[in-house]
Each structure stands twice: as structure tokens, then as C-alpha cells.
Amino acid sequence: MPVSTRLACPDSSGLKARLRVVATLSAALLMAGCQSQFQQPSDLLFAPTFSKTRQNIPYTYNTPYDCRTFTGSGWKGIASGKVNNFDQTYLISQAGCFKTQQECEAWIFYMRGYIDIPRFMRCNTYTA
């Protein structure tokens, strides 16, 4: 007499339902994470592109993160390297001073998106 395989296998409909819930939650979290980066359609349209001219590279001069006007103690980030813009290659070097290490590391991470061949990227403690 053949054995019923239905009794030997667990019910797969419950597993499918749980997988659908997990997939839905994952998609919701992914969409929520994307919304925190791009608040408006113009942010998405004018995000950094493949063109990396010298004018597009972020800088800290004459901003609150300019080391010339920084007071107190904090962190100094230095990012330098080569930038390739199609047929042009040029060297850049930027420095910024930040109150917290997290701000400095975030700036270094941001600069990695612009610098194609990094030479020096570091955050050090700094006192002005």
C-alpha cells in the first residue's frame, strides 16, 4: 500500500505566506531607506552623474567645515586621489574639519564616490 506523501511533508502554504510577508516587509524597508536619501524628484535628477568636472567635486572651503575657520577640537578629514572624467584625469585634495568622528567618516565615504583612485583618505583628531 503506497504511503501518502502529503502526511510526510509539512504544509507549504504556511511557508509561502510567511515568505510573502518577509518579501513585503523587505520591500517596504528598502523604499523607506530610499526616501530618506531622495526627498524630491529633483534630488534624484540632479544627483552626481558620471561627469566629474572640477566644479562638481564637493569642497569645504568657505563652509562651516572649513579648517581655516574651525574652532575647538574635533576631527580633520583629508581625501585625495585621482579623478577620471572620460578623457581627463586630474588630482584633487580636499580637507574638512568636523565636530564628530561620524561626520568626518560620512564625508570620507561621500568623497569616495568622486575619487576614482584614492591616494589618502583618513580622519584624524584635530584641535584648532
Side-chain angles (χ1 to χ4, degrees), residues 45-93:
L45 292 173
F46 299 109
T49 60
F50 290 108
S51 177
K52 297 182 194 175
T53 61
R54 287 187 187 270
Q55 293 80 18
N56 292 343
I57 303 295
Y59 60 91
T60 57
Y61 301 115
N62 296 325
T63 67
Y65 306 109
D66 190 349
C67 291
R68 297 175 296 178
T69 59
F70 187 80
T71 58
S73 62
W75 292 81
K76 182 175 184 177
I78 300 173
S80 67
K82 281 187 180 181
V83 176
N84 297 321
N85 185 25
F86 298 106
D87 61 341
Q88 299 173 343
T89 300
Y90 49 89
L91 297 172
I92 67 161
S93 179

Side-chain angles (χ1 to χ4, degrees), residues 115-127:
I115 297 175
D116 296 312
I117 303 170
R119 301 265 182 190
F120 188 83
M121 293 201 174
R122 184 178 298 167
C123 289
N124 294 326
T125 56
Y126 181 74
T127 303

